[in-house]
Amino acid sequence: MIRAAVLPAVGAPLEITGIELPEPGPGQVRIRLAAAGVCHSDLSLSNGTMRVPVPAVLGHEGAGTVVSVGEGVTHVAPGDGVVLNWAPSCGACHPCSLGEVWLCVNALNGAANVHARAADGRALHPGLNVAAFAEETVVAASCVLPVPEGVPLTDAALLGCAVLTGWGAVHHAARVRQGETVAVFGVGGVGLATLQAARIAGASTIVAVDVSPEKEELARAAGATEYVVASETTAREIRKLTGGHGVDVAVECVGRAVTIRTAWESTRRGGRTTVVGIGGKDQQVTFNALEIFHWGRTLAGCVYGNSDPAVDLPVIAGHIRDGSFDLGALVTERITLDGVPGAFDAMLAGKGGRALVVF
């Protein structure tokens, strides 16, 4: 038996309880978790914004040490440090054939599998494939990548979602160029990673926007040159900070209709808005045909930072080793597994950056 955070049903409180985890079968890897980040996507799974089979062990951003491997696994071995990849590409579907591995149609097939058993015998599914809110987990071999050299194992957990998403939003989806101006909406874990990525990309003015005045220090440490507390006048304030034009690029990390609309309005004529935040079906964003023509702006979605983890992790690791990307700066609270429900409450209240479960 190991301890894990189980979602018994959509909308139900998390249960920190014992589960029975099987040994790895062919093509599987068993991992002892070192750390797991508490991401807003986990909250979205718990409240039904994103649908997965339940009951489930949540947690999709993690890193740990290989305990054992099943038949046919050769790229990792017991004792290796690994990062969990919650959205492994199949390499065979249409998006994968186009090189768009982040859109793989089979990436989340594993979420329907039986992952473990509760003490009462109930079958448990693996949230977003990897079930990282647990002392140990068993995942498909395609869900593990070696921890890059020089990256601490505990902090490496953040690479599995927040960092890849923020990095990719800047460098792949928005394609921020040297000297461009950028606004980042939402200063949580992904937003902080996005701010650092924008700084590394050479953005000149970087505006951080959040509902909480208390996050200004965090945002500026990550690279923000300006800080705006979200209000009805946010777009106007951002235009004032950029010579009346608006920013070249806005990255929305919240997933709310009003924030997406504000991010779009904050960009210059011909500007680009990248939406990273995951919103519900009830969040309807509206535009009229004339303004779309007049402003010539671009609005685009972004899945997992439009990243290929196998390609991007070594690049990001280089910035971590040279000190330009600070993984620890994303973390505002280190907690135990029992602290995950409280971390969910903090996210709902808009507090802090990333909470990191340390095992």
Side-chain angles (χ1 to χ4, degrees):
M1 296 286 286
I2 61 165
R3 297 180 77 236
V6 175
L7 178 69
V10 173
L14 284 180
E15 298 175 354
I16 312 300
T17 185
I19 66 171
E20 296 180 6
L21 190 67
E23 290 302 313
Q28 292 185 320
V29 180
R30 183 167 183 143
I31 298 153
R32 181 178 301 110
L33 272 297
V38 184
C39 178
H40 204 280
S41 295
D42 298 308
L43 184 60
S44 295
L45 293 174
S46 72
N47 64 25
T49 298
M50 297 170 63
R51 293 285 182 177
V52 292
V54 291
V57 179
L58 296 188
H60 65 280
E61 181 183 84
T65 303
V66 175
V67 175
S68 57
V69 301
E71 181 183 351
V73 178
T74 59
H75 73 295
V76 293
D80 288 351
V82 293
V83 177
L84 297 178
N85 174 17
W86 62 270
S89 56
C90 70
C93 68
H94 184 59
C96 284
S97 73
L98 298 175
E100 298 173 348
V101 297
W102 54 91
L103 298 179
C104 177
V105 299
N106 299 309
L108 293 180
N109 286 357
N113 295 340
V114 175
H115 171 70
R117 297 278 175 182
D120 61 8
R122 286 176 299 159
L124 302 175
H125 301 283
L128 287 177
N129 280 330
V130 298
F133 288 163
E135 294 169 331
E136 296 189 10
T137 188
V138 173
V139 302
S142 58
C143 290
V144 297
L145 294 165
V147 171
E149 183 181 351
V151 178
L153 184 59
T154 299
D155 290 347
L158 302 166
L159 295 173
C161 185
V163 174
L164 276 171
T165 300
W167 175 268
V170 169
H171 291 272
H172 300 317
R175 297 182 183 273
V176 174
R177 298 182 290 267
Q178 179 83 26
E180 287 195 309
T181 54
V182 176
V184 177
F185 288 75
V187 185
V190 172
L192 289 168
T194 303
L195 288 167
Q196 292 203 50
R199 173 176 46 75
I200 292 170
S204 54
T205 298
I206 304 175
V207 185
V209 183
D210 199 276
V211 296
S212 172
E214 288 76 23
K215 291 188 180 181
E216 181 172 0
E217 185 177 348
L218 275 175
R220 289 190 181 274
T225 60
E226 309 288 345
Y227 191 83
V228 173
V229 178
S231 70
E232 293 180 356
T233 63
T234 294
R236 193 180 312 152
E237 290 181 60
I238 291 175
R239 286 195 294 272
K240 285 181 180 178
L241 292 169
T242 52
H245 306 294
V247 290
D248 297 301
V249 171
V251 181
E252 199 273 358
C253 304
V254 181
R256 295 182 64 231
V258 65
T259 317
I260 294 170
R261 174 74 204 200
T262 302
W264 189 81
E265 291 176 354
S266 299
T267 62
R268 64 170 174 83
R269 198 174 186 189
R272 314 185 300 281
T273 298
T274 295
V275 179
V276 173
I278 301 172
K281 293 180 180 179
D282 61 325
Q283 296 293 312
Q284 299 292 316
V285 188
T286 60
F287 306 90
N288 67 59
L290 181 60
E291 65 179 330
I292 291 174
F293 161 76
H294 173 75
W295 288 102
R297 293 164 170 155
T298 301
L299 178 69
C302 175
V303 178
Y304 202 7
N306 294 8
S307 291
D308 181 344
V311 173
D312 289 317
L313 284 184
V315 175
I316 296 168
H319 290 289
I320 294 169
R321 287 193 293 268
D322 70 18
S324 57
F325 197 107
D326 183 359
L327 282 176
L330 274 62
V331 180
T332 53
E333 187 178 18
R334 295 177 186 263
I335 60 175
T336 65
L337 188 62
D338 294 293
V340 174
F344 276 18
D345 292 338
M347 280 193 292
L348 282 170
K351 296 180 179 178
R354 208 36 140 220
L356 188 67
V357 181
V358 179
F359 293 93

